[in-house]
Amino acid sequence: MLVLVAPGQGAQTPGFLTPWLELPGAEDRLRAWSAAIDLDLVHYGTNADADEIRDTAVAQPLLVAAALLSARQLFPDTADMAREVGATAGHSVGELAATALAGVLSDEAALELVRARGLAMAEAAGITATGMSALLGGDPDTTVAHLEKLGLTPANVNGAGQIVAAGTLDQLAALEADKPEGVRRVVALKVAGAFHTHHMAPAVEKLEVATGSLVVADPAVPYISNRDGRAVSTGAEIVTRLVGQVANPVRWDLCMETFQERGATALIELCPGGTLTGLAKRALPGVKTLALKTPDDLDAARTLIAEHSSTAE
């Protein structure tokens, strides 16, 4: 059983889309999406520097566009995706890409929604100086209790020994000085706010308005939600969860448990891949993984699809 996943904010690097735009039709597609959301995705994916693409309002649409661009290279026909992919999910903003992969929203609607999401979350992040840091190692229960003592939120529970803390910059500085027992490292993430915490509450209200006119379908590919790792069967509930998720923790650990329970044998992480495959290698032993970083990875991904898709013999 093949799982297709999309990474979240922080996975972007300067110029990461440059080789993808050399593929036939890729630049035209990205320019059309750019026009639809009034954001120059070509510039930000090729020429922008690290600070420019760290901006939440830029990073989020850019990551969703990258995931969709790479997915459409693997599955030009959406009907093939419905037949061959056993489940799809996205980490944080990657969920917006997953909604399009599952057939819940069109690519354009997912990008319009993520554009609204990025702007709303950037505005919410501007109210207070906040951020996020990954903690490597340690016991999850001990770590969560320590974070709560410091006033921080375990915003991403990623499994494989990784939890991401979110809160004010002062609270994160206190965490650096006072790590939980067993935690080896605290790594500041390339994000501009405390996402998936109460600091994002103002963004929830704006997203509720933005989703009001969406054309939504039920998923054609099983969709696994960040909120609790459950497969969600209706498009309406998926959209409701997308709205609330910006202010609630990501439970990627539970998503991976669901992949395992559903019999996953392979996992492909869409561009810019690497983070989620790293987690899967530790948490899902025996599951083959592949990260799409450049078009050079496409042939290997197609081989993996042929071997592990729902139609493979």
Side-chain angles (χ1 to χ4, degrees):
M1 193 270 274
L2 174 69
V3 179
L4 199 61
V5 298
Q9 204 162 333
Q12 71 277 10
T13 55
F16 75 102
L17 279 184
T18 299
W20 291 92
L21 297 192
E22 297 174 5
L23 299 174
E27 184 170 347
D28 289 343
R29 174 171 276 169
L30 205 62
R31 289 197 183 281
W33 288 344
S34 297
I37 65 173
D38 192 26
L39 184 73
D40 190 347
L41 296 165
V42 173
H43 164 72
Y44 287 113
T46 58
N47 296 319
D49 63 25
D51 286 338
E52 287 180 278
I53 61 173
R54 184 173 177 268
D55 179 352
T56 302
V58 170
Q60 293 193 9
L62 184 61
L63 284 164
V64 171
L68 294 178
L69 192 70
S70 57
R72 300 314 177 200
Q73 291 294 324
L74 292 176
F75 299 98
D77 186 340
T78 56
D80 288 341
M81 186 176 297
R83 285 192 300 268
E84 297 181 345
V85 176
T88 187
H91 189 285
S92 187
V93 73
E95 285 203 298
L96 275 293
T99 61
L101 301 176
V104 175
L105 299 176
S106 68
D107 290 358
E108 292 75 13
L111 284 160
E112 288 169 1
L113 182 56
V114 77
R115 177 65 166 147
R117 183 186 193 269
L119 289 167
M121 292 176 73
E123 185 177 339
I127 296 171
T128 306
T130 57
M132 304 177 79
S133 294
L135 290 81
L136 307 181
D139 174 74
D141 292 338
T142 301
T143 295
V144 168
H146 189 86
L147 295 179
E148 291 173 349
K149 182 182 72 173
L150 295 175
L152 289 159
T153 299
N156 301 162
V157 182
N158 287 332
Q162 187 189 101
I163 291 176
V164 175
T168 68
L169 297 185
D170 287 344
Q171 290 167 335
L172 292 170
L175 174 63
E176 284 272 9
D178 181 18
K179 292 192 289 288
E181 182 181 351
V183 169
R184 302 186 305 277
R185 294 175 61 205
V186 176
V187 181
L189 300 185
K190 294 179 286 185
V191 298
F195 306 138
H196 303 292
T197 73
H198 67 277
H199 292 286
M200 292 294 110
V204 173
E205 298 176 13
K206 292 183 182 297
L207 275 182
E208 286 174 344
V209 174
T211 57
S213 59
L214 287 176
V215 176
V216 179
D218 292 339
V221 176
Y223 176 98
I224 311 302
S225 170
N226 275 187
R227 189 170 85 181
D228 50 15
R230 280 184 50 222
V232 183
S233 59
T234 70
E237 184 181 351
I238 288 170
V239 171
T240 297
R241 283 171 172 245
L242 287 177
V243 171
Q245 194 61 24
V246 301
N248 287 285
V250 170
R251 293 301 305 268
W252 192 251
D253 59 331
L254 299 180
C255 291
M256 290 195 293
E257 287 180 14
T258 298
F259 301 159
Q260 191 167 45
E261 289 166 3
R262 294 173 77 93
T265 57
L267 178 146
I268 295 175
E269 182 181 2
L270 297 167
C271 177
T275 303
L276 301 182
T277 47
L279 293 170
K281 284 175 181 176
R282 296 192 292 276
L284 299 172
V287 174
K288 292 187 178 297
T289 62
L290 188 144
L292 281 178
K293 298 175 189 255
T294 75
D296 291 341
D297 300 314
L298 286 170
D299 284 345
R302 292 183 181 112
T303 298
L304 203 63
I305 292 166
E307 294 171 348
H308 294 270
S309 73
S310 303
T311 59
E313 295 183 357

